């Protein structure tokens, strides 16, 4: 079956760096997405990786290793507003998107 | 401004009643999706559509129905056959996957349905 694993919860301190890992097993691969979702709100797009390597976008970076079925989202200079759930999602060979359960990040002062 | 709108935000229904959730987008996207989100679980696909008058079942279509009569609209009906309908429902749209490099989905604000 298809599976995406990410930690359930993480806690980090304001101003610090946090890395949220995601491992996946899917039928083929056509890209990996990271979304941010605040409680009770819509997920919003953060990043997209289809080739191996690091994609940087301001305070957020996302890394992909297709051979290892692994990605991480790196958040730098954490702010209180970064407290949210972070969803890893993989598009399989038929372009269907499978979502992980999400990682709830708590940023403390 | 372009976007995707779901209504209502909160919905209460009695058990045994059908209920329809609205989803409208003005992003000119061909693909639209309905997901269900339960605590501790990832988004699960209910139905999706890539073109007007055509739609496909997702992983958990039982007890749900949809229509796609217009490009902008993709309403979801939760029928009385759905055994556990209380959940957070998210509608999304995108360009058709595989036709562009970045095909991220744009989500509506969600509808929280509670069946009592």
């Amino acid at each position: 079956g298809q599976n995406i694993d990410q930690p359930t919860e993480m806690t980090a301190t304001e101003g610090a760096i946090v890395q949220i890992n995601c491992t996946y097993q899917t039928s083929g691969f056509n890209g990996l997405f990271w979304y941010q979702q605040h409680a009770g709100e819509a997920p919003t797009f953060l990043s997209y990786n289809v080739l191996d390597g690091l994609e940087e976008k301001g305070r957020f970076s996302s890394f992909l290793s297709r051979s290892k079925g692994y990605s991480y989202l790196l958040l730098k200079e954490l702010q209180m507003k970064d407290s949210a759930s972070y969803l890893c999602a993989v598009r399989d060979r038929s372009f269907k998107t499978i979502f992980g359960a999400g990682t709830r990040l708590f940023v403390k002062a | 401004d372009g976007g995707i709108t779901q209504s209502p935000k909160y919905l209460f229904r009695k058990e045994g009643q059908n209920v329809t959730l609205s989803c409208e987008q003005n992003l000119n996207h061909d693909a639209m999706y309905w997901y269900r989100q339960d605590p501790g679980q990832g988004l699960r696909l209910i139905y999706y559509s890539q073109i007007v008058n055509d739609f496909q079942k997702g992983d958990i279509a039982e007890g749900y129905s949809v229509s796609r009569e217009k490009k902008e609209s993709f309403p979801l009906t939760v029928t009385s056959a759905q055994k556990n309908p209380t959940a957070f429902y998210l509608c999304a749209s995108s360009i058709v996957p595989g036709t562009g490099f970045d095909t991220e989905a744009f989500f509506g604000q969600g509808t929280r349905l509670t069946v009592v």
Side-chain angles (χ1 to χ4, degrees):
Chain A
Q2 309 208 87
N3 194 51
I4 297 179
D5 286 316
Q6 42 180 142
T8 304
E9 288 185 0
M10 299 182 72
T11 301
T13 305
E14 195 175 16
I17 299 173
V18 71
Q19 177 175 312
I20 302 174
N21 295 325
C22 170
T23 57
Y24 63 89
Q25 293 172 307
T26 56
S27 305
F29 179 83
N30 272 304
L32 184 144
F33 299 83
W34 283 97
Y35 289 88
Q36 180 191 61
Q37 185 180 25
H38 286 97
E41 297 184 9
T44 54
F45 170 74
L46 290 177
S47 69
Y48 172 70
N49 295 71
V50 67
L51 300 175
D52 289 351
L54 188 68
E55 294 280 342
E56 297 188 77
K57 225 187 239 187
R59 294 189 299 115
F60 291 38
S61 304
S62 57
F63 171 83
L64 174 67
S65 168
R66 288 171 296 170
S67 63
K68 294 181 180 176
Y70 168 69
S71 172
Y72 67 72
L73 179 70
L74 195 71
L75 291 75
K76 303 175 190 172
E77 300 168 16
L78 278 173
Q79 302 175 9
M80 299 300 286
K81 68 178 182 180
D82 297 330
S83 292
S85 287
Y86 291 86
L87 312 179
C88 175
V90 176
R91 189 158 277 162
D92 69 11
R93 72 160 61 93
S94 62
F95 293 96
K96 176 185 171 184
T97 303
I98 301 103
F99 283 82
T103 299
R104 290 179 67 190
L105 174 66
F106 299 93
V107 179
K108 58 182 183 179
Chain B
D1 279 12
I4 180 165
T5 303
Q6 287 184 243
S7 61
K9 192 169 174 65
Y10 298 96
L11 193 53
F12 294 87
R13 277 295 180 269
K14 289 186 178 178
E15 197 171 329
Q17 289 182 334
N18 291 356
V19 61
T20 297
L21 282 57
S22 168
C23 179
E24 303 276 332
Q25 56 98 2
N26 60 3
L27 298 166
N28 201 33
H29 286 158
D30 285 306
M32 295 188 75
Y33 314 83
W34 274 104
Y35 291 94
R36 171 181 173 139
Q37 188 174 34
D38 294 287
Q41 296 192 43
L43 275 65
R44 292 184 290 168
L45 183 64
I46 304 171
Y47 268 99
Y48 66 100
S49 167
Q50 295 190 344
I51 195 168
V52 173
N53 292 324
D54 187 52
F55 47 83
Q56 308 296 327
K57 291 183 179 180
D59 299 317
I60 55 166
E62 186 175 346
Y64 299 97
S65 66
V66 293
S67 63
R68 187 86 187 274
E69 296 175 4
K70 298 186 301 181
K71 185 175 183 177
E72 301 80 15
S73 179
F74 192 41
L76 173 76
T77 297
V78 184
T79 75
S80 56
Q82 168 49 232
K83 292 186 176 15
N84 186 19
T86 294
F88 188 51
Y89 291 88
L90 285 161
C91 180
S93 71
S94 73
I95 65 172
V96 175
T99 61
F101 189 69
D102 286 325
T103 54
E104 77 269 22
F106 293 79
F107 286 85
Q109 290 299 308
T111 293
R112 188 165 297 280
L113 173 65
T114 302
V115 176
V116 295

